[in-house]
Structure formats: C-alpha cells, structure tokens
Amino acid sequence: MSQKEKRCVFVALPKSSPVSEIEMYKLLSEAEIDLSTVKFLDEIDDTLGMGGNDTLIVLLADNEVHDPKVEAAALTAARAGSCNIIGVWAPGQTGKGIHPSALKFATAQIEWNADKLKAEIGSDCAHAFETPDGETAEPSEIEPNECD
C-alpha cells in the first residue's frame, strides 16, 4: 500500500472531553493502530483530505450531546465514503442506547476496549452498537448506517 493509499485514523474529541489525547493514544496503541497514521482533529478544517479508506473515531461522553467539530467530522467522513465511523465511549460513562453523536453517521458504537476497536477497524461486518459497559445498545428509531 502506498503512502497515499495508507489509511489514516482521525480522532474527534468533544470540547469538554473526559479523555486526554495521551489516554486516546494508549487505547489506539493497544488496538495495534500505527500511531503515525493518527490525526487529532482540532478544527473543522482538519477533516480536509479525509478519504473512503480512512477511519474516524469519535469519543462519546454523557455530557457532550452535540459538538459542532464532532458532527462536522462525522459528516465529512460519511461524505468521503468511510465505512469506519466509530463512536467509542469514554471510560466511566453511563449512557444507554445510541449516543446522539453516533446516531446519524456512525457505523459502530463500542465501549472503551482496544480489542473491540481493533475488530471494528479491521472488519467490514463487526459493527457493534454497545453501551459504555459493553451491553448491546437498544436501537433508536433511526437505523445505523451500513456500507455497501
């Protein structure tokens, strides 16, 4: 795979994230993600160049329901054709169902777990939707997105 075709992993942390970039890097490293491909999104413009091979990881927190940066990143990833838009619950969250930040564009919503993150990034069919404690999230009235 050429450098141009190399998959990038974009990470969108909400404004008042309960997780630091260092903690997120630790999770990504444990999931065996090449950290040289990781880009944290500080501004909405940072999503420029996102492509269909890329992955977007969105941190989910109970107190962050709508974050413009996170929503713009998810929309950009969906428009680029990314089949990996993964919501990852921050540790210590108690939410139920599908988080509003994952509702429109996410292909998965998982607990803070490196093995599950690795499975979601490496598979076209894992697509779990879970609560923060790993239980199956009850579906909402809007079905999660599936890639063709």
Side-chain angles (χ1 to χ4, degrees):
M1 183 177 284
S2 74
Q3 181 66 26
K4 187 170 179 125
E5 295 171 337
K6 193 172 189 178
R7 176 188 311 214
C8 291
V9 177
F10 293 86
V11 179
L13 300 177
K15 187 175 18 180
S16 58
S17 174
V19 171
S20 70
E21 286 187 13
I22 297 296
E23 291 169 306
M24 184 58 83
Y25 271 125
K26 287 179 183 176
L27 177 69
L28 298 173
S29 178
E30 290 171 9
E32 299 178 8
I33 294 168
D34 178 355
L35 299 182
S36 71
T37 67
V38 175
K39 180 175 184 177
F40 282 84
L41 302 174
D42 295 319
E43 302 292 330
I44 292 173
D45 289 345
D46 290 343
T47 60
L48 298 174
M50 190 181 288
N53 289 335
D54 296 332
T55 294
L56 173 65
I57 297 172
V58 174
L59 186 75
L60 305 175
D62 293 336
N63 65 337
E64 280 290 341
V65 179
H66 296 289
D67 183 293
K69 177 181 66 177
V70 169
E71 290 177 10
L75 177 60
T76 300
R79 284 182 176 160
S82 175
C83 288
N84 285 310
I85 304 172
I86 304 166
V88 176
W89 285 101
Q93 304 305 295
T94 59
K96 301 292 180 206
I98 298 176
H99 190 280
S101 292
L103 191 59
K104 289 182 184 176
F105 303 112
T107 57
Q109 172 182 287
I110 59 173
E111 66 177 310
W112 185 268
N113 179 299
D115 291 331
K116 289 182 180 183
L117 180 58
K118 181 179 175 182
E120 285 298 338
I121 290 176
S123 172
D124 288 336
C125 59
H127 303 314
F129 277 83
E130 300 175 339
T131 63
D133 54 1
E135 299 296 321
T136 299
E138 291 299 319
S140 64
E141 64 275 0
I142 298 174
E143 291 297 316
N145 292 316
E146 292 291 330
C147 292
D148 294 328

